[in-house]
Amino acid sequence: MSTVLAINQLGKSFPSAAGEVHAVRDVSLEVAAGELVALRGPSGCGKSTLLMAAGGLLEPTSGSVEINGTDLYSLGQDGRAQFRAENIGFVFQQFHLIPYLDVRDNILAASLATARAEGERVDELLEIFGLQQRAHHVPAALSTGEKQRTAMARALLNNPKLILADEPTGNLDKDNAEALLEQLSGFSGKGGAVLLVTHDARVDDHAGRTIEISDGNLVS
Ligand SMILES: Nc1ncnc2c1ncn2[C@@H]1O[C@H](COP(=O)(O)OP(=O)(O)OP(=O)(O)O)[C@@H](O)[C@H]1O
Ligand SMILES: [Mg+2]
C-alpha cells in the first residue's frame, strides 16, 4: 500500500528555564494506507508532541512531515490549515471541543473549512457513537467519554486520509472503547491510515504494528 504519512528525522525541542527540552529527538516512521499503527511509551516521552507535529499543528525543530507526498511545513499557515482540514482527522488528548457549540455542531465544525454539507453523515456518526440523545448539549454538559466520542466523530466526518488520535479510548468504558476501535479499524480497512497513541492493550487486537517511543526516540 502507498505511504500516507512519512515522518523523516523529526526533532522538536522547547526552550525552558532549565535549558532545552528535547521532546522528540530523531524520529522517522511511515504509515501506509490501510494501516493502523499504535504508538506507545511512558508519560512525557514525546508522544503528543510527535502527533501534533505529524498533524501540522506544531512546527518541528528539525526534520520533515509528508502526507501523501506533500511536505506539510513547506506550506504556509493558511495552506497548511486547508490541507489539514481536507486530509487529517485529529483527536486531541484534551478533545478541543468548541464550548459554545452543541455536539452536532462540534462534529459539523470539521466540515466548515471544506464547505461540504454533511448533515446525513453527522446523523450516522451520532448514532454510531451513541450520541443522539446528546446532539444538542454543549461540551460542558457532557461526560468526559461523551466529549471523547464527539471528538472522534468530528475526526471521521470529512473522511480524511489520515487519522491521528491521542489516547482516544482513555476515558471510555469497555463497550465504548470497542466501538471506537471498530470505527478506527473500519476506517483503516477502507484504506485510511491511522496513527494512535495509546496505553490500551485492547488496541493490540486492531493494530497492525506497535511502535515504542522512549525519551523522544523510537525503540525498535
Ligand atoms: N509547550 C511545551 N513547552 C515546554 N515543554 C514541553 C511543551 N510541550 C511538551 N513539553 C515537554 O516535552 C516532553 C514530551 O511531552 P509530550 O506531551 O509529548 O509527552 P507524552 O508522551 O504525550 O506524555 P503523556 O503520556 O503524559 O501524554 C515533556 O517533557 C513535556 O514536559
Ligand atoms: Mg500526551
Side-chain angles (χ1 to χ4, degrees):
M1 281 275 206
S2 59
T3 301
V4 174
L5 170 67
I7 298 173
N8 310 304
Q9 299 188 298
L10 188 137
K12 177 68 187 176
S13 35
F14 298 102
S16 86
E20 294 228 341
V21 178
H22 299 283
V24 177
R25 288 171 191 275
D26 179 17
V27 170
S28 299
L29 70 88
E30 294 191 352
V31 183
E35 238 191 336
L36 193 158
V37 176
L39 188 64
R40 208 194 284 277
S43 180
C45 71
K47 304 180 297 295
S48 294
T49 303
L50 180 63
L51 215 62
M52 299 232 265
L57 297 162
L58 189 64
E59 184 149 14
T61 315
S62 56
S64 67
V65 176
E66 282 176 36
I67 293 177
N68 281 341
T70 297
D71 183 341
L72 275 189
Y73 294 95
S74 70
L75 299 172
Q77 284 224 327
D78 292 351
R80 193 156 67 242
Q82 188 68 33
F83 186 87
R84 232 171 41 221
E86 288 169 1
N87 295 280
I88 309 172
F90 205 106
V91 182
F92 295 91
Q93 202 165 10
Q94 305 299 336
F95 319 130
H96 291 217
L97 300 177
I98 300 165
Y100 50 85
L101 296 182
D102 69 20
V103 165
R104 195 166 195 282
D105 287 342
N106 257 290
I107 296 171
L108 277 170
S111 67
L112 287 182
T114 54
R116 278 187 234 150
E118 301 285 5
E120 267 175 45
R121 177 71 174 141
V122 78
D123 290 336
E124 188 179 277
L125 288 165
L126 286 168
E127 190 184 334
I128 287 168
F129 289 106
L131 290 164
Q132 301 104 308
Q133 307 307 318
R134 295 288 174 272
H136 300 295
H137 292 222
V138 294
L142 301 176
S143 74
T144 306
E146 288 165 348
K147 287 180 200 166
Q148 193 153 42
R149 283 179 275 148
T150 301
M152 191 69 226
R154 180 179 59 185
L156 285 163
L157 182 76
N158 277 339
N159 205 16
K161 307 283 186 298
L162 170 69
I163 289 186
L164 301 167
D166 204 343
E167 292 278 10
T169 60
N171 301 287
L172 299 181
D173 61 24
K174 182 171 171 292
D175 288 353
N176 279 306
E178 275 301 335
L180 188 144
L181 291 172
E182 288 295 327
Q183 286 302 311
L184 284 179
S185 289
F187 172 80
S188 66
K190 282 183 271 170
V194 181
L195 180 62
L196 181 73
V197 169
T198 185
H199 296 284
D200 190 339
R202 277 181 293 241
V203 173
D204 294 345
D205 297 339
H206 299 272
R209 240 178 337 136
T210 298
I211 291 173
E212 296 270 347
I213 182 168
S214 168
D215 198 19
N217 292 297
L218 294 191
V219 192
S220 50

